[in-house]
Amino acid sequence: MTASPKGWATFAWQSDYGQFYLVDREDEAFEPPTEITPEMEARCLFVMPSGITIYTQSCLQQHIRIAIYDHEPTHPLTEPMSDKPWTHTETVEVRFPSKSFAISSPSMPDPLPNGPIFLVDSALCSLRISWMEFEGARDDSVPIEPDVIDIAIWPGHPPET
């Protein structure tokens, strides 16, 4: 059976310092990583105890799409609107203990108190992150197509004991 999104949102975003966060709404101790390791750079992400940092190639504009499913969806091989191939994909497990998260960035270190807020069915979630990033020279004086970062989220599976 094909998965249909239970909820979704698309943001025109500017990822200050080339990063943004999906943070558990009740994590009062959230601190973004201050040092980027070679692994974090290669994977373009860092899983935290209650959220995730996602890295982009640029601080310029992104279109961030977040879709929440009740089970793993089919993952398109290309970005659906442009039919261009994804430049990078990663699948990870992330914990949102309160079963909710918000999007944030370095210029807004705390998520906005009234949203956007996302609710998930499970504290442990699987995320498939797909990047379609602008490839070529970046010049702040010339308009370019924004990067697209697509995030599919569904309930994760607890580790077997």
Side-chain angles (χ1 to χ4, degrees), residues 62-136:
Q62 292 82 39
H63 285 176
I64 299 173
R65 300 181 197 143
I66 299 173
I68 299 170
Y69 298 87
D70 60 4
H71 63 279
E72 184 173 4
T74 302
H75 305 290
L77 299 176
T78 60
E79 192 278 324
M81 293 180 74
S82 69
D83 204 33
K84 292 180 182 177
W86 297 114
T87 55
H88 185 76
T89 60
E90 289 280 344
T91 302
V92 295
E93 297 231 321
V94 176
R95 291 195 171 280
F96 299 114
S98 71
K99 296 185 183 178
S100 65
F101 67 90
I103 187 169
S104 186
S105 69
S107 64
M108 182 177 61
D110 298 315
L112 293 172
N114 294 316
I117 298 168
F118 297 86
L119 305 177
V120 290
D121 292 332
S122 172
L124 180 64
C125 295
S126 294
L127 276 68
R128 169 69 173 218
I129 307 164
S130 302
W131 290 260
M132 186 192 72
E133 296 184 303
F134 176 81
E135 295 182 314

Side-chain angles (χ1 to χ4, degrees), residues 13-21 32 36 53-62 64 104-109:
W13 195 264
Q14 184 170 338
S15 294
D16 295 331
Y17 303 101
Q19 60 190 284
F20 65 94
Y21 322 116
I36 301 174
T53 298
I54 299 173
Y55 297 101
T56 69
Q57 293 295 320
S58 168
C59 297
L60 299 173
Q61 185 175 353
Q62 292 82 39
I64 299 173
S104 186
S105 69
S107 64
M108 182 177 61

Side-chain angles (χ1 to χ4, degrees), residues 3-26:
S4 295
K6 296 176 68 173
W8 67 92
T10 300
F11 300 93
W13 195 264
Q14 184 170 338
S15 294
D16 295 331
Y17 303 101
Q19 60 190 284
F20 65 94
Y21 322 116
L22 303 183
V23 182
D24 187 272
R25 292 282 298 145
E26 294 181 6

